[in-house]
Amino acid sequence: MNLVEDLVAAYRILAEHGVIDAYGHVSARSPSDPKRYLLARSIAPELVTPDDIMEYDLDSEPVDPRGRESVRERFIHGEIFKARPDVNAVVHNHSPSVVPFSVTTVAMKPIFHMAAFVGKGVPNFEIRKAQKGTDLLVKTPYLGQALAKTLGKSPAALMRGHGSVTVGETLPRAVGRSIYLEMSARMQLQAMAIAGPRGKIACLDEAEVKASVPAQDYNRAWPMWRAKALAGLKQR
Ligand SMILES: [Zn+2]
């Protein structure tokens, strides 16, 4: 497995699925040094190539910047990798159907088996509790730590008025969770519209969540997503 190539593919996959716009990013922990991670320089996701992938320590200092500009919200990645030794990939995105759940009291529910992980809990990061008057960006180690604390042991966290973060033990899992979190949010909005204010929505129950989450690694989708994404890269 070539991790740099996988990461380039991940950027393109997330852009293609409308999960990251010009500003989202995805990282992977270095397989040779768990105290380092890989993340693209500040560039639109669909333009990422292997030369754009930079290495960082867990304080989010670039190891060999060579004039490349770092993304300001890199602390999201470094601080989550520090707090969660089980996590090897992190996606931060502004996926549009998820944001409304971050600004209301309506919780995201596990309504779709492909996003059963929602049933493990998706806490909402209120940046104001950590610091007032920010531009909502997690651009300091302190804010990264506050976000990692809100995330806790969960597979994803919303970020109020901003977006969300999803994590996984593998890159395919973090990428798949981002794609299916967006889909699940859209489906929940649809279910709520169909059900009406007094209607009931049947969610996955605790036993179903427990049975579904370990199996849901998105490994069947990953080779297809990856091949399509890298074919686009070779055409350039
Ligand atoms: Zn952001």
Side-chain angles (χ1 to χ4, degrees), residues 25-99:
H25 24 89
V26 46
S27 63
R29 196 190 289 273
S30 166
S32 55
D33 183 351
K35 293 203 176 312
R36 290 191 177 178
Y37 69 93
L38 307 176
L39 177 74
R41 72 180 172 99
S42 181
I43 184 174
E46 276 165 298
L47 302 178
V48 171
T49 68
D51 287 342
D52 300 313
I53 303 297
M54 297 172 65
E55 194 173 10
Y56 292 88
D57 65 20
L58 295 192
D59 290 328
S60 298
E61 287 297 326
V63 176
D64 178 23
R66 280 184 273 135
R68 294 171 295 178
E69 189 192 341
S70 295
V71 295
R72 286 184 294 166
E73 291 195 286
R74 61 190 179 280
F75 304 100
I76 293 173
H77 303 267
E79 297 304 328
I80 290 175
F81 284 130
K82 250 189 229 174
R84 290 279 299 270
D86 60 310
V87 163
N88 291 311
V90 176
V91 178
H92 167 57
N93 64 65
H94 306 149
S95 111
S97 308
V98 175
V99 174

Side-chain angles (χ1 to χ4, degrees), residues 9-206:
Y11 272 92
R12 290 160 177 267
I13 292 163
L14 290 166
E16 196 178 309
H17 284 84
V19 170
I20 52 180
D21 51 16
Y23 298 97
H25 24 89
V26 46
S27 63
R29 196 190 289 273
S30 166
S32 55
D33 183 351
K35 293 203 176 312
R36 290 191 177 178
Y37 69 93
L38 307 176
L39 177 74
R41 72 180 172 99
S42 181
I43 184 174
E46 276 165 298
L47 302 178
V48 171
T49 68
D51 287 342
D52 300 313
I53 303 297
M54 297 172 65
E55 194 173 10
Y56 292 88
D57 65 20
L58 295 192
D59 290 328
S60 298
E61 287 297 326
V63 176
D64 178 23
R66 280 184 273 135
R68 294 171 295 178
E69 189 192 341
S70 295
V71 295
R72 286 184 294 166
E73 291 195 286
R74 61 190 179 280
F75 304 100
I76 293 173
H77 303 267
E79 297 304 328
I80 290 175
F81 284 130
K82 250 189 229 174
R84 290 279 299 270
D86 60 310
V87 163
N88 291 311
V90 176
V91 178
H92 167 57
N93 64 65
H94 306 149
S95 111
S97 308
V98 175
V99 174
F101 289 95
S102 79
V103 296
T104 59
T105 54
V106 178
M108 286 199 71
K109 299 277 189 194
I111 60 155
F112 179 43
H113 75 121
M114 293 298 287
F117 69 89
V118 171
K120 293 268 180 193
V122 182
N124 193 5
F125 176 59
E126 173 49 89
I127 197 166
R128 270 181 224 151
K129 284 188 185 159
Q131 190 179 336
K132 292 203 184 345
T134 65
D135 58 6
L136 302 190
L137 301 183
V138 177
K139 56 187 185 188
T140 62
Y142 169 71
L143 289 172
Q145 285 155 21
L147 172 62
K149 204 170 164 200
T150 297
L151 175 70
K153 290 184 169 25
S154 304
L158 308 185
M159 299 161 74
R160 193 265 306 161
H162 177 174
S164 59
V165 62
T166 61
V167 301
E169 300 84 349
T170 64
L171 190 56
R173 201 169 222 182
V175 168
R177 281 177 170 171
S178 296
I179 291 170
Y180 283 101
L181 188 67
E182 165 66 17
M183 241 185 250
S184 188
R186 215 155 49 215
M187 287 182 190
Q188 189 172 336
L189 288 165
Q190 290 164 343
M192 285 162 65
I194 294 168
R198 279 194 251 331
K200 274 202 174 156
I201 297 173
C203 299
L204 275 73
D205 65 22
E206 214 179 304

